[in-house]
Amino acid sequence: MVAKNLQDTTTLHNGVKMPWFGIGVFKVEDGPELVHAVKTAIKHGYRSVDTAAIYGNEVGVGQGIREGIKEAGISREDLFVTSKVWNTDLGYESTIAAYETSLKKLGLEYLDLYLIHWPVEGKYKDAWRALETLYKEGRVRAIGVSNFQIHHLEDLMKDAEIKPMVNQVEYHPRLTQKELQAFCREHGIQLEAWSPLMQGQLLDNEVLQEIANKYNKSVAQVILRWDLQNGVVTIPKTTKEHRIVENASVFDFELTEEDMKRIDGLNQNHRVGPDPDNFDF
Ligand SMILES: NC(=O)c1ccc[n+]([C@@H]2O[C@H](COP(=O)([O-])OP(=O)(O)OC[C@H]3O[C@@H](n4cnc5c(N)ncnc54)[C@H](OP(=O)(O)O)[C@@H]3O)[C@@H](O)[C@H]2O)c1
């Protein structure tokens, strides 16, 4: 079922509800602009925030959350907060310690979702055991992975006690990830899109522009709507209030089957980020 509004949720395989739509804060420096962006998103109805230890901005995200929920008159439980363990911290003890550090920086008692950021060979299984421990102890509401290909998921699940609830990957009309999505669906793993707007590089695409004109929407809105109609959680990044509002105004139109296929047809298996099968960090 397609999300009906900004606060609508998908139910993860453990029953936890995760908003279909959120705000990402990659490359946003810790400071007033970041705090303002998080607060503004909450003010406009966003209920999900995606950060990571490596972004170096968990302190500001935490401040934005505290101020944002106070101003909006909501509570921490109304929000869904995600962070990720960085590659250098992958290991059993070190991942648990990294979780504590993220919580401290964010000023939160728990996270809604904690992800292994990248599938570093030889390391992600120990990190996964740590995430399972945190989950079983009730310290985090859901656990998952990021940038995992099918073979990484198969390898992880061979030894895992708990299946990942989410896989957050690069996903946009130039990288439609059909096989990975089918695999995730089959295993009850929710797919989540990072760089849904291809970091802004798709906004002048002619096909998307033509479709956008037809619905009287922006290209960004068409792409984000395509995510939702494909059953993919999406977390576009912007610090600008008018774009925070624009990006979330995607619940008042529906792309036809034909337009969905035209957008799918833009796929070139093209990445703007690193290749999960060939990275050196
Ligand atoms: N797990 C991972 O490995 C991973 C990797 C990358 C990203 N992520 C997550 O995914 C989130 C989103 O990805 P992303 O930040 O790489 O890229 P993105 O959301 O695809 O694109 C962000 C860029 O698009 C611009 N933009 C946003 N809305 C717009 C609009 N309506 N019209 C025109 N331009 C617009 C933003 O500029 P302004 O800010 O100037 O508006 C920014 O330059 C990240 O913030 C992060 O939370 C995760």
Side-chain angles (χ1 to χ4, degrees):
M1 211 164 61
V2 182
K4 289 193 180 58
N5 59 60
L6 183 50
Q7 293 170 11
D8 211 351
T9 52
T10 173
T11 304
L12 305 179
H13 74 64
N14 64 338
V16 164
K17 293 184 185 314
M18 173 180 192
W20 284 105
F21 206 97
I23 187 157
V25 295
F26 181 39
K27 291 187 182 156
V28 188
E29 213 180 294
D30 212 344
E33 189 193 9
L34 168 74
V35 174
H36 185 257
V38 173
K39 267 167 65 172
T40 304
I42 295 171
K43 179 177 89 178
H44 288 292
Y46 285 62
R47 292 294 177 263
S48 170
V49 184
D50 181 88
T51 185
I54 194 69
Y55 301 167
N57 59 16
E58 290 174 305
V59 171
V61 168
Q63 190 184 332
I65 288 172
R66 277 188 301 283
E67 294 179 14
I69 60 178
K70 197 167 166 204
E71 283 176 21
I74 59 171
S75 59
R76 159 70 183 96
E77 290 69 37
D78 297 319
L79 281 193
F80 191 96
V81 184
T82 302
S83 193
K84 315 179 190 91
V85 53
W86 186 241
N87 301 354
T88 45
D89 287 322
L90 295 180
Y92 186 79
E93 299 295 342
S94 48
T95 294
I96 290 188
Y99 185 71
E100 307 290 350
T101 303
S102 282
L103 285 185
K104 211 169 283 166
K105 288 188 175 166
L106 284 156
L108 298 175
E109 303 276 310
Y110 68 92
L111 290 185
D112 296 279
L113 179 63
Y114 198 47
L115 303 175
I116 294 181
H117 208 146
W118 285 88
V120 181
E121 293 298 339
K123 287 193 165 183
Y124 57 73
K125 287 194 186 182
D126 285 339
W128 187 251
R129 280 197 302 116
L131 265 58
E132 288 179 328
T133 298
L134 291 166
Y135 178 71
K136 285 189 282 185
E137 288 176 350
R139 306 211 46 218
V140 61
R141 295 182 67 232
I143 52 176
V145 294
S146 178
N147 299 302
F148 274 48
Q149 308 270 52
I150 292 174
H151 70 91
H152 295 122
L153 289 168
E154 283 173 334
D155 183 45
L156 184 79
M157 290 192 295
K158 263 198 305 218
D159 297 314
E161 222 181 294
I162 301 167
K163 268 198 291 193
M165 285 128 207
V166 172
N167 186 17
Q168 184 188 108
V169 299
E170 183 177 343
Y171 178 96
H172 44 66
R174 290 286 191 222
L175 183 68
T176 55
Q177 305 264 31
K178 291 289 178 200
E179 285 175 25
L180 180 60
Q181 188 178 11
F183 181 89
C184 286
R185 192 173 285 142
E186 195 183 311
H187 290 273
I189 301 168
Q190 175 63 54
L191 200 72
E192 178 177 19
W194 63 252
S195 294
L197 304 175
M198 207 176 141
Q199 296 178 349
Q201 293 172 42
L202 271 175
L203 301 176
D204 55 3
N205 177 277
E206 275 179 27
V207 172
L208 293 171
Q209 193 59 65
E210 197 186 305
I211 295 173
N213 292 344
K214 178 172 148 189
Y215 294 90
N216 207 9
K217 286 284 176 180
S218 68
V219 168
Q221 288 168 327
V222 164
I223 297 172
L224 298 168
R225 179 73 204 180
W226 171 81
D227 290 348
L228 298 175
Q229 287 186 217
N230 275 321
V232 176
V233 168
T234 193
I235 46 167
K237 174 261 167 183
T238 180
T239 50
K240 301 182 174 59
E241 182 161 13
H242 70 281
R243 287 179 175 168
I244 287 174
V245 174
E246 174 189 331
N247 290 348
S249 305
V250 292
F251 301 96
D252 57 354
F253 74 113
E254 187 174 354
L255 296 165
T256 62
E257 194 90 346
E258 193 192 336
D259 288 330
M260 289 293 289
K261 288 205 179 102
R262 278 186 83 193
I263 302 172
D264 286 346
L266 297 173
N267 182 46
Q268 296 177 341
N269 296 325
H270 173 71
R271 295 177 183 277
V272 283
D275 181 347
D277 280 324
N278 188 18
F279 63 97
D280 60 358
F281 50 87

